[in-house]
Amino acid sequence: MRRYNIFYFIGQAFTNLWRNGLMTFVSIAVLMSLLVVIGGFSLMVVNIDINLKKFGEMNEIVVFVDREASEEKIEEIGNTIKALDNIEKDSSGNVTGVTRISKSEGLRQLKQENPGVYDDITDENNPLPDKFVITYEETAKVPELDYQLRQIEGIIKVNNRLDLATGIENLKNGIMLIFVWFLIILFVVSLFIIVNTIKLSVFARKDEISIMRYVGATRSFISLPFIFEGIIIGVISSVIAYFIEWFLYAYVERMVVSDYLQMIDVLTFDDVSKYVLFGFLAIGILTGVVGSSISLGKYSNK
Amino acid sequence: MIDFKNVKKAYPNGTMALKGIDLHVDDGEFVFICGHSGAGKSTIIKLLLREERISSGELIVDDYDLSKLSNYRVPQYRRKLGVVFQDFRLFPKKTVYENVAFAMEVIGTPRRDINKRVPSILRTVNLAGKENSLPNEISGGEQQRVALARALANNPSIIIADEPTGNIDPKMSLEIMQLLLKINKLGKTVLVVTHEKGLVDYYQQRVVSLQNGRIVDDKVGGMYNEKV
Ligand SMILES: Nc1ncnc2c1ncn2[C@@H]1O[C@H](COP(=O)(O)OP(=O)(O)O)[C@@H](O)[C@H]1O
Ligand SMILES: [Mg+2]
C-alpha cells in the first residue's frame, strides 16, 4: 500500500454516513447513551470510593458515656479504653489515640459549627453526654475493638464509622452488579446497530467493492472507508456524550453539595473531564471499529 | 501463460461445473471460449480471477499457483488481469474519465501518472472526446469500450472478457472484437467467452469448445462447433 490519501477514505466514510442518514443517527444516539450511562456510573463509583476512603482514613470511633456517670467513673472508662489493643500509640508506646471531649466542650463545638442555633442551651441544661474519640491502628481489627468497647460499663453508644463505610460499600457493589448487566446489554445493542448501519453502506457499495476487487485493490483499501465510518460514529458520539455528561454531572454535583454539605466530598467535573473525554473517545472509537470489522467480515475476504 | 491441469470445480451445493479441464494458453494468444449456457465458461473465468478456488487439479498463471495463492496475495495477482463483463459494470455517477481513473486510484497510482495514462488508454479504445460523458449518455458499445479501457488501465498482461458483446448490437460487437484483437496485437493474452457463432467463425482464431464441464474441441483457426 502506498500513497493513499487519508482524505479519500474520510470523504467516502462521510458519504456513506450521509447516505444512511437515519441509521447513522440511531447509531450515534445509541452509542452516545451507552457512553453517558458508562460515564455517569463510573463517576458515581469514583465518588463513592473517595468518600469510602475518607471514612476509612479517619480511623475513628466515637463512644458516648452515660450521662449519669460520675467524674471518677468517666476517668476510669478512659483508662479502660487506653488499655485496649489497637489504640493508636506514639513511638515510645504512650497512648495517643484516646481524647476525651467533655459535654461542655462538645456543646462549644456544636455552637461553633452551627452559630445561633443552640444559643439557649447552656452548661446548666446541656443534654450532651461526655464522649471519647478513639483513633485505632488497624482497620481489620475494628470489629474486635468495637465489641470490647461495647462491653465497658458506662458506655451507652459506640459510633463506628466503619459500619457506615461497609453499608456504602455494599450499596456500591449492589449498584455495580445491576449496572454491569445494563451496560452489557447497551453495549450489545450499540454494536448491533452500528454493525447494521455499516452493513447498509457495504451493501450500497457492493458493485463498487466488486470492481475494486477485480482491479486488485487491497483488502485494507476496500475496508478503510468503512473503518473510518465506524470511527466517525464513535467520535461524534463521544463528543456529544461528553457535553451531556458535563451538564448532568454539574447538575448532580450542585444538588449533592448543597444537600449534604461537608458530609460528602464530590469531585468537580474539571477534576475528571480529561478522563471522561478520553475514556469516551476510547470506548466510542473501539466500538465503532469493532462494529465495522464485524460488518465487513466476509466482504473484504475474497 | 495460463495452464489448467485436470482442473475440477464443484460448487458448495454439489454442482460439478468443471469435470477435468486441460487447457494451455501461451503468452500473447487469442482464444475464444464457446459453449452453451451452463457449460462452465464463467466458472473458468471465476477460477482465473481467483473469485472461486479450484476443487482439484492444478491452475497456474505465470508464476502464480492459484491453488496455493493466499488471500493476502490475491490483490497483487489480480493486477495481472483485466476483466470485462457482459453488463459493463461501470459507475453510473462517474464520468468516462473517472471510471477509468478509478481502477488506477484504488491501487494507489499517483495522480500525475493517472492523468498521463488515462487519455492515452481512451485513445486506444477510440473514446477520445468522451472523457466527460456519463455512462448513460453514451451507447452500449461505447460503455463496453470504457469497461475495456478500465481493464487496460493497470497494464495487465491478460485480458478476460465474459460475453463482452452479449448486451450490444451486432455492429458495435464487431467493433469490440476488433479492439480485443488490436489489444492482442499489442502483446496481451486475450480470452473471450462468447456464443456468437458469426463472430467466432469470422475471426478464425483458436476456439475452445466447452460442453457440460468438459473441453470437447480445441482448434486453432476453428469454427463455432454446431454440435456443442
Ligand atoms: N455459485 C454457484 N453455485 C452453484 N452452482 C453454480 C454457481 N455458479 C455456476 N453454477 C453452476 O455451474 C454450472 C456452470 O455454470 P457457468 O460456469 O456459469 O456456465 P456458463 O458461464 O457456461 O453459462 C451451471 O450448472 C451453473 O448452474
Ligand atoms: Mg456465463
Side-chain angles (χ1 to χ4, degrees):
Chain A
M1 237 181 101
R2 58 177 208 271
R3 293 183 53 95
Y4 294 131
N5 188 343
I6 191 163
F7 295 109
Y8 165 81
F9 300 112
I10 295 177
Q12 298 286 299
F14 272 110
T15 309
N16 288 344
L17 289 169
W18 188 251
R19 216 165 7 194
N20 303 325
L22 180 65
M23 281 300 280
T24 302
F25 177 79
V26 174
S27 304
I28 290 175
V30 173
L31 182 54
M32 187 197 74
S33 318
L34 170 75
L35 291 171
V36 169
V37 174
I38 290 180
F41 169 61
S42 314
L43 289 174
M44 186 172 71
V45 169
V46 168
N47 276 300
I48 289 177
D49 273 345
I50 284 173
N51 285 287
L52 285 177
K53 197 147 169 270
K54 190 178 83 175
F55 284 130
E57 273 167 4
M58 281 204 230
N59 278 18
E60 269 179 19
I61 297 178
V62 180
V63 297
F64 299 92
V65 179
D66 190 348
R67 285 181 192 78
E68 310 298 319
S70 64
E71 188 55 32
E72 296 90 71
K73 179 69 183 168
I74 295 174
E75 254 169 56
E76 189 196 318
I77 291 172
N79 290 330
T80 316
I81 296 172
K82 283 179 185 164
L84 293 173
D85 273 351
N86 198 17
I87 306 291
E88 189 187 72
K89 299 179 182 64
D90 64 17
S91 49
S92 44
N94 300 315
V95 174
T96 54
V98 180
T99 309
R100 177 177 166 193
I101 294 174
S102 68
K103 56 184 186 179
S104 50
E105 173 69 11
L107 181 61
R108 207 184 53 73
Q109 285 179 1
L110 200 63
K111 285 183 173 180
Q112 200 181 358
E113 281 165 20
N114 306 278
V117 181
Y118 300 109
D119 282 354
D120 52 339
I121 299 174
T122 64
D123 276 339
E124 272 65 57
N125 58 2
N126 183 356
L128 297 173
D130 276 52
K131 64 183 181 185
F132 289 95
V133 177
I134 301 162
T135 312
Y136 52 80
E137 289 183 319
E138 279 179 72
T139 311
K141 288 186 184 165
V142 168
E144 242 174 284
L145 181 61
D146 187 271
Y147 176 78
Q148 287 163 344
L149 290 169
R150 283 174 206 281
Q151 301 309 303
I152 297 172
E153 207 201 316
I155 289 183
I156 50 168
K157 192 168 176 229
V158 178
N159 243 3
N160 178 356
R161 287 180 201 255
L162 211 61
D163 284 347
L164 183 59
T166 315
I168 297 174
E169 181 93 47
N170 288 339
L171 185 69
K172 186 188 89 177
N173 292 339
I175 296 172
M176 214 132 128
L177 196 69
I178 297 168
F179 267 82
V180 165
W181 280 109
F182 190 58
L183 286 183
I184 291 175
I185 293 168
L186 256 180
F187 183 75
V188 171
V189 171
S190 320
L191 205 57
F192 179 79
I193 290 174
I194 292 174
V195 164
N196 279 291
T197 303
I198 296 175
K199 264 192 187 154
L200 275 184
S201 309
V202 174
F203 188 76
R205 296 198 161 221
K206 65 182 196 316
D207 294 340
E208 205 168 319
I209 292 174
S210 91
I211 295 297
M212 285 173 153
R213 285 217 210 95
Y214 287 133
V215 298
T218 57
R219 186 183 163 139
S220 40
F221 185 90
I222 295 172
S223 321
L224 270 172
F226 304 105
I227 302 285
F228 272 104
E229 204 180 325
I231 292 177
I232 291 168
I233 290 177
V235 169
I236 295 177
S237 310
S238 321
V239 171
I240 300 177
Y242 173 78
F243 286 109
I244 294 179
E245 195 77 64
W246 188 353
F247 175 81
L248 289 179
Y249 191 84
Y251 179 77
V252 172
E253 186 194 341
R254 271 201 305 280
M255 230 166 62
V256 173
V257 169
S258 62
D259 270 19
Y260 303 98
L261 198 65
Q262 291 168 335
M263 251 187 69
I264 296 181
D265 283 349
V266 184
L267 292 169
T268 66
F269 195 73
D270 277 354
D271 293 334
V272 294
S273 58
K274 271 210 304 287
Y275 304 103
V276 172
L277 184 61
F278 289 121
F280 279 8
L281 283 172
I283 300 172
I285 291 173
L286 187 78
T287 314
V289 170
V290 170
S292 36
S293 311
I294 295 175
S295 1
L296 278 166
K298 63 176 191 333
Y299 259 98
S300 53
N301 241 323
K302 263 189 184 171
Chain B
M1 174 268 296
I2 299 170
D3 205 14
F4 284 77
K5 281 203 187 107
N6 194 20
V7 170
K8 295 181 180 156
K9 174 62 187 175
Y11 282 107
N13 68 359
T15 310
M16 277 297 277
L18 299 177
K19 299 170 180 163
I21 297 291
D22 285 290
L23 176 66
H24 183 90
V25 179
D26 272 324
D27 287 346
E29 266 196 275
F30 188 105
V31 182
F32 282 120
I33 299 174
C34 304
H36 283 300
S37 167
K41 306 180 298 292
S42 295
T43 301
I44 285 188
I45 287 180
K46 286 184 203 157
L47 294 180
L48 280 172
L49 291 172
R50 183 36 174 74
E51 211 181 311
E52 294 285 346
R53 284 166 174 274
I54 63 174
S55 305
S56 71
E58 198 176 55
L59 175 52
I60 294 178
V61 178
D62 290 347
D63 35 7
Y64 290 89
D65 182 342
L66 294 201
S67 57
K68 298 200 181 89
L69 189 67
S70 66
N71 283 340
Y72 172 74
R73 301 237 300 159
V74 168
Q76 204 61 47
Y77 163 70
R78 286 197 182 138
R79 294 175 193 185
K80 277 189 153 321
L81 316 171
V83 58
V84 178
F85 299 97
Q86 182 171 2
D87 54 358
F88 322 140
R89 303 195 193 175
L90 300 176
F91 298 124
K93 288 184 187 142
K94 287 190 200 290
T95 63
V96 167
Y97 185 97
E98 289 163 349
N99 265 286
V100 179
F102 179 79
M104 302 177 76
E105 280 163 17
V106 301
I107 66 164
T109 313
R111 193 79 240 170
R112 84 190 109 78
D113 296 354
I114 295 178
N115 289 340
K116 229 184 290 166
R117 184 161 168 79
V118 175
S120 104
I121 302 171
L122 287 177
R123 273 197 303 278
T124 308
V125 299
N126 308 327
L127 278 175
K130 298 279 182 186
E131 288 84 354
N132 297 319
S133 306
L134 290 172
N136 66 3
E137 295 165 350
I138 57 181
S139 73
E142 285 169 325
Q143 289 182 51
Q144 192 59 297
R145 280 186 273 148
V146 178
L148 197 50
R150 180 177 62 196
L152 289 168
N154 295 320
N155 197 21
S157 54
I158 302 170
I159 295 287
I160 297 170
D162 192 355
E163 317 237 5
T165 58
N167 274 359
I168 50 193
D169 61 59
K171 191 170 138 275
M172 297 289 199
S173 301
L174 215 63
E175 202 180 325
I176 294 289
M177 280 303 167
Q178 217 71 53
L179 267 176
L180 285 167
L181 277 164
K182 173 175 162 191
I183 289 161
N184 173 243
K185 294 282 181 303
L186 294 173
K188 298 190 190 303
T189 310
V190 178
L191 296 187
V192 182
V193 167
T194 186
H195 46 231
E196 292 196 48
K197 178 181 180 329
L199 286 175
V200 173
D201 292 350
Y202 178 79
Y203 283 106
Q204 291 290 304
Q205 297 285 338
R206 179 174 171 193
V207 180
V208 174
S209 301
L210 225 60
Q211 188 178 37
N212 208 0
R214 288 196 173 86
I215 291 177
V216 291
D217 206 2
D218 184 351
K219 276 201 211 87
V220 181
M223 306 279 278
Y224 194 99
N225 192 329
E226 295 283 1
K227 296 187 298 265
V228 174

